[in-house]
Amino acid sequence: MRSQQWFGAREEQTFQNRSALRSMGLNPDDFAGKPVIGIANSWSDLNNCNANLRELAEAVKRGVLLEGGLPLEFPTISLGEEFMKPSAMLYRNLMAMDVEETLRANPIDGVVLLCNCDKTTPAQLMAAASADLPAIQLNGGPRAISHFHGEPIGSGTDLWRYSDERRAGRISDADWKDLEACYGCGVGACNTMGTASTMTSLSETLGMMLPGTASIPATDARRMQAATATGRRIVQMVHEDLRPSKILTASAFDNAIRALLALGGSTNAVVHLIAMAGRRNISLPLSRFDELARTTPFLVNLMPSGQHLMDRFHAAGGVSAVLAEICDLLCLNNLTVTGRTLGENIARARSFDREVIRLREQPLAENGALAVLTGNLAPRGAIIKASAASAKLMQHRGRAVVFHDYEDLLARINDPALPVDADSVLVLQNAGPKGVPGFPEWGSIPVPTKLLQAGVTDVVRISDSRMSGTAFGTVVLHVAPEAADGGLIGLVQDGDMIELDVASRRLQLLIDDSELSRRRVAWQPRPTKHLRGYPRLYIDHVLQADEGCDFDFLRSSSDAELEFVQPVVGRS
Ligand code: FES
């Protein structure tokens, strides 16, 4: 085992390492020949969604000890969606580097990855894919359901809805305070099929979590039992040399895309899956998402695309039940962390609640939960979550109302003089990966107050930004290339005619070529105030949305680059 280089090799090399274990009260002889299991814990007081990971880490340790391993927990950077500004996405790659390099530098034979809030899940999986040590993931689970005026509250989704109600003058100050008090009623991740639950569901689909664990509620005792089982399993995985490279295959990513579509999951998953696949030198072009979307039914009736919340999803059978429903579309031979195939894992699964996980023959939609758009406005692609959009706007022509950046948007969106009507197309520029930097979730541009007051609840919105996985509406996202990278979205002007046609996957700026050329010649990149540090590194190396927004130097393009370089172990 790898850890033997630290603890079991020649004495002059191992003395200090063994002594370091003793200084923590651990006798290395008690663990001779046993695997060292790292527990990468993204718990933080700065991340409310990951608040239960400390208790789960203790349960993981129990499992590791029961199975004959040595658990060593370590902290990592945590990415909390609520507090981190401008976006936790700015730091996803930093967290991936943090986890990968900690694995690389230390005496670790296998790792348990403790995640929950949105970006913590893909960041850890990107690290595991690159490090390629035996790895298994465990999430903190979705939070309990709170109620406001007798109605269950869906995290995020209902906040957007109630915010619109408030701007329309239909919620009082006192009620708004009441909503704040009950909105986030406990530990855990958002209880909708937002980015957090989408990504943990996809981790389970990829084969990186124990089956049935992604959707267990945060406070359910079964989650602690799952943590102990996860701890036991990673020790076995080290003995079996079961590494991510055997699990994270091209067909596993196809399965994950199918699951994303059947779930009606978050658009953010598109970016994360591409980034994770890139770490294993697997190409996932946007066209693959669109191809699979045309033949994958949308089955899961959860907010924001549907009506229900994660507690019902878990009771209905969770991820395994969804996969069982589309099993003929999946590659069932893929190996998973159980040591068995995906097909074996889901052999007994079925839906126990057809209102939540629909029968294959009675889907919420035959296909197309997500669609990939192209056209002169997005030559490298853009995404729309059709399952959460308005059917009547799927084919639309309208005049652009342009916001040059987020500050401009905030300053003018609620201005009664804004020249906007129900047919307008709202365009937000300079909100992409390099532009901010960090690719924030500003793409679900609020419907202008004057339209809300007139009873308009949705308009077409287009940006080079992302949106929260809990959001909804006719929102075109991830336009690539972004404005800050010279994309045509940066050349759109007020009054330009834009055509959106989801059925033909078209997004077009309807102006003539000579005018476009004139604007291109006049375009100048905006100066950035980020001249140093991590934001500078990010701007210089982040890839565009269609490539997953990883750093160019973190993707692998050859088998040689996939080699996990061992450190030289000796006395310091
Ligand atoms: Fe953390 Fe939704 S804000 S999971």
Side-chain angles (χ1 to χ4, degrees):
M1 277 177 291
R2 189 170 177 267
S3 60
Q4 289 304 298
Q5 293 179 64
W6 278 262
F7 302 123
R10 294 210 317 269
E11 191 186 312
E12 68 270 22
Q13 289 181 321
T14 60
F15 179 91
Q16 282 180 317
N17 302 327
R18 292 167 60 86
S19 164
L21 275 187
R22 287 184 185 274
S23 75
M24 295 191 289
L26 298 166
N27 183 342
D29 295 335
D30 290 342
F31 298 98
K34 295 182 176 176
V36 176
I37 303 299
I39 301 172
N41 196 344
S42 58
W43 171 89
S44 167
D45 270 341
L46 296 173
N47 185 351
N48 60 310
C49 308
N50 290 22
N52 62 340
L53 295 187
R54 284 210 284 202
E55 297 87 79
L56 288 176
E58 293 306 314
V60 170
K61 287 179 191 173
R62 266 202 301 280
V64 172
L65 290 167
L66 282 168
E67 201 63 29
L70 169 60
L72 295 178
E73 182 183 352
F74 60 93
T76 71
I77 183 176
S78 193
L79 310 180
E81 286 296 310
E82 306 291 9
F83 290 162
M84 285 191 118
K85 300 290 181 269
S87 168
M89 183 64 177
L90 176 60
Y91 301 104
R92 182 201 64 181
N93 298 348
L94 182 64
M95 181 173 182
M97 292 169 77
D98 174 4
V99 175
E100 179 185 346
E101 296 308 321
T102 302
L103 296 179
R104 190 190 303 279
N106 285 287
I108 292 172
D109 297 306
V111 63
V112 176
L113 305 161
L114 296 182
C115 65
N116 217 31
C117 197
D118 301 15
K119 311 298 180 293
T120 55
T121 306
Q124 290 177 345
L125 291 176
M126 289 161 71
S130 292
D132 203 28
L133 297 179
I136 188 169
Q137 198 164 39
L138 176 77
N139 62 319
R143 70 177 67 110
I145 313 297
S146 186
H147 291 78
F148 175 61
H149 292 182
E151 295 293 325
I153 300 175
S155 313
T157 305
D158 277 324
L159 180 57
W160 313 128
R161 215 184 304 277
Y162 284 125
S163 297
D164 285 351
E165 289 287 294
R166 179 160 166 76
R167 285 192 297 127
R170 293 190 282 266
I171 290 189
S172 70
D173 288 350
D175 284 347
W176 189 247
K177 267 281 178 216
D178 288 348
L179 177 63
E180 178 190 300
C182 68
Y183 174 71
C185 68
V187 297
C190 291
N191 54 30
T192 46
M193 189 51 77
T195 304
S197 289
T198 300
M199 290 314 302
T200 53
S201 298
L202 300 191
S203 177
E204 188 178 319
T205 305
L206 284 164
M208 293 298 293
M209 273 187 194
L210 289 179
T213 57
S215 58
I216 301 172
T219 51
D220 191 312
R222 287 171 291 181
R223 181 153 290 288
M224 294 292 271
Q225 295 167 39
T228 301
T230 300
R232 293 191 89 127
R233 182 60 199 144
I234 187 63
V235 177
Q236 298 162 2
M237 286 173 67
V238 171
H239 291 306
E240 295 163 15
D241 196 28
L242 180 49
R243 297 163 182 265
S245 51
K246 297 176 182 168
I247 296 172
L248 297 175
T249 59
S251 53
F253 282 102
D254 272 0
N255 287 346
I257 295 172
R258 293 276 192 197
L260 168 66
L261 296 160
L263 291 166
S266 167
T267 46
N268 291 322
V270 175
V271 180
H272 298 320
L273 285 173
I274 294 170
M276 285 153 47
R279 294 300 186 98
R280 295 301 318 159
N281 197 15
I282 296 168
S283 170
L284 274 192
L286 286 179
S287 56
R288 187 66 180 152
F289 288 80
D290 200 64
E291 195 182 323
L292 298 182
R294 291 173 190 270
T295 53
T296 307
F298 166 39
L299 297 175
V300 177
N301 187 10
L302 291 194
M303 290 186 194
S305 297
Q307 298 164 297
H308 303 290
L309 298 171
M310 285 299 291
D311 58 337
R312 288 273 304 260
F313 180 65
H314 186 66
V319 177
S320 296
V322 179
L323 299 181
E325 210 59 45
I326 56 168
C327 62
D328 59 309
L329 300 174
L330 302 175
C331 178
L332 298 174
N333 294 329
N334 282 330
L335 199 55
T336 71
V337 289
T338 61
R340 299 188 299 269
T341 65
L342 182 69
E344 289 169 322
N345 287 348
I346 64 170
R348 292 177 52 246
R350 66 183 196 277
S351 169
F352 301 107
D353 184 349
R354 291 295 183 192
E355 163 65 12
V356 176
I357 300 174
R358 296 293 174 93
L359 251 185
R360 173 71 179 277
E361 293 71 34
Q362 293 166 1
L364 291 154
E366 291 287 344
N367 53 52
L370 293 177
V372 177
L373 308 167
T374 52
N376 69 353
L377 198 43
R380 285 169 54 180
I383 298 286
I384 185 167
K385 187 174 184 175
S387 60
S390 301
K392 66 173 193 237
L393 292 173
M394 292 286 97
Q395 187 170 26
H396 183 80
R397 275 186 182 208
R399 299 223 170 261
V401 176
V402 179
F403 301 96
H404 299 295
D405 52 34
Y406 192 55
E407 288 72 27
D408 184 29
L409 171 77
L410 293 178
R412 295 194 295 126
I413 191 71
N414 292 324
D415 185 345
L418 187 73
V420 67
D421 61 32
D423 291 328
S424 297
V425 174
L426 308 185
V427 177
L428 172 62
Q429 301 168 326
N430 296 302
K434 290 175 189 280
V436 177
F439 208 13
E441 295 181 336
W442 294 340
S444 49
I445 302 167
V447 176
T449 300
K450 76 184 214 186
L451 294 184
L452 284 175
Q453 288 167 339
V456 177
T457 55
D458 193 12
V459 290
V460 174
R461 293 158 261 179
I462 299 173
S463 74
D464 49 11
S465 197
R466 296 180 303 120
M467 78 172 177
S468 164
T470 62
F472 52 89
T474 310
V475 185
V476 177
L477 302 154
H478 308 183
V479 166
E482 63 174 301
D485 207 37
L488 193 142
I489 187 171
L491 306 183
V492 181
Q493 295 181 358
D494 281 332
D496 287 348
M497 186 64 80
I498 291 176
E499 181 183 48
L500 167 68
D501 186 347
V502 176
S504 60
R505 305 295 197 260
R506 188 176 148 88
L507 184 66
Q508 199 73 10
L509 180 65
L510 303 175
I511 60 173
D512 63 50
D513 289 346
S514 58
E515 171 62 10
L516 209 50
S517 303
R518 191 189 64 73
R519 292 186 196 178
R520 268 198 202 289
V521 170
W523 181 79
Q524 292 286 331
R526 295 178 137 210
T528 178
K529 52 184 182 294
H530 299 285
L531 301 176
R532 60 167 296 281
Y534 180 75
R536 185 68 251 171
L537 176 87
Y538 189 94
I539 292 169
D540 288 345
H541 292 283
V542 72
L543 298 166
Q544 289 291 286
D546 61 316
E547 296 176 311
C549 296
D550 202 357
F551 291 151
D552 49 11
F553 60 85
L554 290 176
R555 295 220 308 192
S556 54
S557 55
S558 68
D559 287 348
E561 285 177 11
L562 286 171
E563 277 294 306
F564 184 52
V565 181
Q566 299 278 1
V568 177
V569 181
R571 295 185 66 174
S572 56

